[in-house]
């Protein structure tokens, strides 16, 4: 092997690199028979012959690869910062250097890998593609952690590096994991790309330096749809008056413009709603603190309110002034027996932001999997790891708190006042969940998007801080909005016909948190947005920037892909056959939550099938001791209300409560597991059922069209969705994000416990049994 080039420090080559390829030693190969030998029943030694080929000589499926330049598509205002060639995007398999060669680039918007054979992927017509973010694109805001591999050791990368890694691992906030091998990349390019990625994803930023503003400036002449076509934006007094009229709250509450121009409080929106008896001059006294702000009114006339707490003071005189002020406010809203108010202090007797942050930090590690061995090793400890994260328990507590508030509104006819320090985190969460459960309008796509605008965007949730878009404080990063979406997913999962949108809609909405061409999730308050968009304090010659809203889904998806965001099984009117609906509903849920048994499996089943079955059952949601909350533990009023609702058939256009017992709270599999090949169920899962239902619906629609001899546009869209599902060759349970099983999902045996599993020959037979069944 004298022709091998000399390598520089770190294993990199000075001239075009040569990649070692070890010849296969399976029977039938030249090396297996002629060079190595190994008869007589003895174990053949490791192959010693190594051939060296250049990266451009590597080919797949025995086809000659022609070199071609892959085009980097840039958005308006996007600039290329650095790049590296001859980068290998590795397949996440154990000790395997298989993958795709290409260029790794970093712009001021994203990290992108441009592979040499992406044409094969582009030909997949059923791919659920995002027009803004490609399969191998990572927005800078989506990067969670960066790791480097040095001599097979994985280390976190940050700041200035003295030594550069031979492999780069990027963990994303949408739970994707990318492996880039830099061993064959020029050393200067490695330094440039690694330093650039670390700096542009981890260094603290100024708000004005976000790509959001570069894009808005460059795309000023681009036409955008009116955001009011997609949601009520709640940026005008008329929007609030419309919401008051819709909920019949205009008899007791009024929309005010006292904060127009944000002259009272920059934290509050320009327009909001307060109780009618409240004097408007009281609002500025403590800069909007201590003022009950209306969220929503239910059919009984009771209302859900929120209030930010008054700042803590040490001076006795100021404390007395605050007390007198709050007494006056309380008398305004609490006038028994006509108006009774119950206060829920979410800052003291509910979750803390620290609990949410800690729980999610542990929970997400279950899904940031580097390789197959790690997946199956953690699967053995799945229950204990899931329980110790407390994430599912936090979801259950949020749903339970929302039900408690609903019980006060619905059963006790009491107003509920949610109290929090700034009324911008847990108040947003609880008030939104209450409205989703009580108001069927909020279960339509337009209504849900309007709800998020009202309670989260205009309500002042600090998305800039909670998503850590500026990378200024990890302590402020808390996934409160993601927790809300996970709670809504539990409802969508338990009551699919009640929602006009799908779980795919919720998943892409969570992904949109990190796409900085939409202004929706990149500001802490409406004031901050208006001040930085040129809508406040600018001269007449200054034209305000017009940013896109995330609710215009045509920016991200083609019409065919958008059909997957709409639920074709949505029940627009209540069904008459209540008994049948009840039976279907309860039977289905209880089948999914059978208690986990400890009985040994039949020896006929085989190890691999048994492990895969356990994985599937675990992901569907099983009984975990910490999550079980029996009805006896609930308060008497709450228990009576909750049990009474559960005893009746669900009304999809009325009150809709979640089942909160331990086994009913499940892992949001589509979002958290969509990038893990081992977690997929080929041809199975809920998508298989949905595909069959849509196929049946399409057949019924065709018959209906023949009878009526007319076509409906909505029916055509539903038929298109059915076609999209049916034409996919092998659907995955994680469709549409994981269409095909590209890599082996065969579990890797753990290093311990071999004796209990049987000898190697028996294991090989069981493995063959699993593979044969999996290929059917």
């Amino acid at each position: 092997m004298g022709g091998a080039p000399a390598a520089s420090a770190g294993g990199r080559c000075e001239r075009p690199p040569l990649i070692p390829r070890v010849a296969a030693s399976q029977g039938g190969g030249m090396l297996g028979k002629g060079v190595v030998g190994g008869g007589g029943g003895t174990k053949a030694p490791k192959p010693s012959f190594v051939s060296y080929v250049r990266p451009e000589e590597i080919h797949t499926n025995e086809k000659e690869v022609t070199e071609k330049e892959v085009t980097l598509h840039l958005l308006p205002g996007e600039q290329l910062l650095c790049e590296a060639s001859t980068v290998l995007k590795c397949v996440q398999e154990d000790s395997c250097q298989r993958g795709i060669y290409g260029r790794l680039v970093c712009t001021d918007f994203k990290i992108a890998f441009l592979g040499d054979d992406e044409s094969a992927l582009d030909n997949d017509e059923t791919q659920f593609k995002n027009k803004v973010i490609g399969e191998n694109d990572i927005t800078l805001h989506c990067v969670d952690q960066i790791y480097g591999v040095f001599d097979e050791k994985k280390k976190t990368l940050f700041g200035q590096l003295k030594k550069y890694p031979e492999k780069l691992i990027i963990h994303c906030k949408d739970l994707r994991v990318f492996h880039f091998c830099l061993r064959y990349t020029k050393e200067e390019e490695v330094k440039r790309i690694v330093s650039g990625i670390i700096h542009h994803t981890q260094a603290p930023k100024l708000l004005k330096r976000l790509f959001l503003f570069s894009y808005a400036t460059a795309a000023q002449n681009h036409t955008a749809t009116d955001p009011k076509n997609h949601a009520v934006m709640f940026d005008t007094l008329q929007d609030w008056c419309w919401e008051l009229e819709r909920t019949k709250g205009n008899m007791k509450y009024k929309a005010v413009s006292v904060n127009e121009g944000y002259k009272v409080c920059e934290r509050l929106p320009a327009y909001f709603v307060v109780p009618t008896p409240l004097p408007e001059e009281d609002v500025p006294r403590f800069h909007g603190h201590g003022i009950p702000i209306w969220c929503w009114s239910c059919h009984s006339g009771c209302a859900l309110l929120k209030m930010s707490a008054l700042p803590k003071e040490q001076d006795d005189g100021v404390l007395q002034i605050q007390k007198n002020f709050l007494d006056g406010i309380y008398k305004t809203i609490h006038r028994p027996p006509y108006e009774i108010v119950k206060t829920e202090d979410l800052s003291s007797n509910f979750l803390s932001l620290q609990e949410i942050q800690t729980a999610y930090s542990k929970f997400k590690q279950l899904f940031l999997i580097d390789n197959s061995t790690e997946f199956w090793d953690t699967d053995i400890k799945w229950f204990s790891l899931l329980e110790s994260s407390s994430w599912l328990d936090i979801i259950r507590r949020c749903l339970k708190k929302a039900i408690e508030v609903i019980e006060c509104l619905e059963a006790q006819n009491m107003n509920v006042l949610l109290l929090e320090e700034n009324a911008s985190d847990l108040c947003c969460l609880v008030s939104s969940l209450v409205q989703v459960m009580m108001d069927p309008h909020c279960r339509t796509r337009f209504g849900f998007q309007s709800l998020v605008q009202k309670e989260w965007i205009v309500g002042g949730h600090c998305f800039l801080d909670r998503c850590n878009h500026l990378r200024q404080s990890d302590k402020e990063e808390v996934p409160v909005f993601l927790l809300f979406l996970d709670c809504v997913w539990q409802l969508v999962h338990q009551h699919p016909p009640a929602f006009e949108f799908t779980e795919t809609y919720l998943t892409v909405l969570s992904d949109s948190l990190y796409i900085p061409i939409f202004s929706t999730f990149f500001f802490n308050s409406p004031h901050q947005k208006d001040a930085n968009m040129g809508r406040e304090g600018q001269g007449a010659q200054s034209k305000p920037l017009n940013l896109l809203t995330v609710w215009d889904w045509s920016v991200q998806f083609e019409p065919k892909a958008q059909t997957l965001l709409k639920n074709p099984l949505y029940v627009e009117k209540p069904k008459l056959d209540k008994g049948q609906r009840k039976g279907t509903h309860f039977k289905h849920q209880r089948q999914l939550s059978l208690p986990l048994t400890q009985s040994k499996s039949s020896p006929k089943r085989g190890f691999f099938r048994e492990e895969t079955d356990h994985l599937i059952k675990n992901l569907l949601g099983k009984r975990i001791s910490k999550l079980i909350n029996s009805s006896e533990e609930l308060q008497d009023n709450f228990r009576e209300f909750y049990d009474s609702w559960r005893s009746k058939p669900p009304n999809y256009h009325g009150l809709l409560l979640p089942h909160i017992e331990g086994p009913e709270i499940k892992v949001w599999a589509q979002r958290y597991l969509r990038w893990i090949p081992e977690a997929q169920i080929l041809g199975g899962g809920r998508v298989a059922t949905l595909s069959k239902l849509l196929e049946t619906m399409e057949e019924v629609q065709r018959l209906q069209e023949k009878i009526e001899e007319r076509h409906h546009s909505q029916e055509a869209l539903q038929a298109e969705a059915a076609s999209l599902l049916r034409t996919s060759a092998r659907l995955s349970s994680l469709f549409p994000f994981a269409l095909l099983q590209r890599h082996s999902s065969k579990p890797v045996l753990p290093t311990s416990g071999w004796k209990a599993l049987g000898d190697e020959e028996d294991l090989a037979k069981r493995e063959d049994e699993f593979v044969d069944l999996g290929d059917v």
Side-chain angles (χ1 to χ4, degrees), residues 396 627-631 642 646 658-665:
R396 182 189 61 80
L627 303 184
I628 297 175
N629 187 278
S630 61
S631 297
Y642 184 68
R646 290 202 62 171
H659 308 303
I660 59 173
E661 289 77 7
E664 302 289 356
I665 305 299

Side-chain angles (χ1 to χ4, degrees), residues 9 39 48 70 173 192 194 221 280 352 365 367 402 422 459 471 525 534 539 577 603 716:
S48 58
V70 181
K173 293 183 179 181
R192 196 157 48 242
V194 173
N221 296 327
E280 290 190 23
S352 69
Q365 295 305 319
F367 312 102
N422 288 312
R471 300 284 180 175
S525 65
D577 190 0

Side-chain angles (χ1 to χ4, degrees), residues 377-389:
D377 283 347
T378 54
D379 182 62
I380 296 173
K381 303 176 287 186
W382 170 261
F383 282 120
S384 59
L385 292 173
L386 187 59
E387 182 176 11
S388 64
S389 75

Side-chain angles (χ1 to χ4, degrees), residues 23-39 44-49:
S25 60
Q26 272 75 16
M30 182 184 72
L31 189 62
K33 289 186 177 180
V35 180
V36 176
K46 278 189 175 182
S48 58
F49 174 77

Side-chain angles (χ1 to χ4, degrees), residues 567-694:
N567 180 14
L569 305 180
Y570 172 60
V571 177
E572 296 191 13
K573 291 183 180 180
K575 299 286 186 180
L576 296 176
D577 190 0
K578 297 182 180 179
Q580 183 179 359
R581 187 167 70 251
K582 175 184 176 183
T584 303
H585 173 78
F586 284 106
K587 182 179 179 182
H588 178 66
Q589 294 295 328
R590 288 171 182 167
Q591 282 179 336
L592 287 177
S593 59
L594 292 173
L596 184 64
T597 59
Q598 300 297 328
S599 59
K600 294 185 178 179
S601 61
S602 168
K604 296 181 180 179
R605 298 194 61 195
F607 170 75
F608 291 105
R609 286 191 62 199
E610 177 68 15
E611 284 299 305
T612 306
D613 287 350
H614 273 303
L615 168 71
I616 295 167
K617 291 174 183 176
N618 293 351
L619 298 180
L620 287 175
K622 284 297 174 180
R623 186 175 298 274
I624 300 174
S625 58
K626 187 177 180 180
L627 303 184
I628 297 175
N629 187 278
S630 61
S631 297
E632 287 77 18
E633 297 175 6
L634 305 176
Q635 300 93 336
D636 290 340
N637 290 340
F638 176 82
R639 183 182 65 185
E640 183 180 352
F641 174 74
Y642 184 68
D643 290 345
S644 173
W645 182 86
R646 290 202 62 171
S647 66
K648 302 172 185 176
N651 177 5
Y652 295 131
H653 280 260
L655 177 63
L656 196 72
L657 300 183
H659 308 303
I660 59 173
E661 289 77 7
E664 302 289 356
I665 305 299
K666 304 179 187 299
V667 173
W668 184 0
Q670 187 192 69
R671 184 185 192 275
Y672 300 123
L673 289 156
R674 55 188 158 150
W675 313 121
I676 305 177
E678 292 81 2
Q680 299 180 40
I681 310 170
L682 291 181
R686 296 188 61 167
V687 67
T689 305
L690 180 61
S691 176
K692 201 66 182 175
L693 286 170
L694 289 176

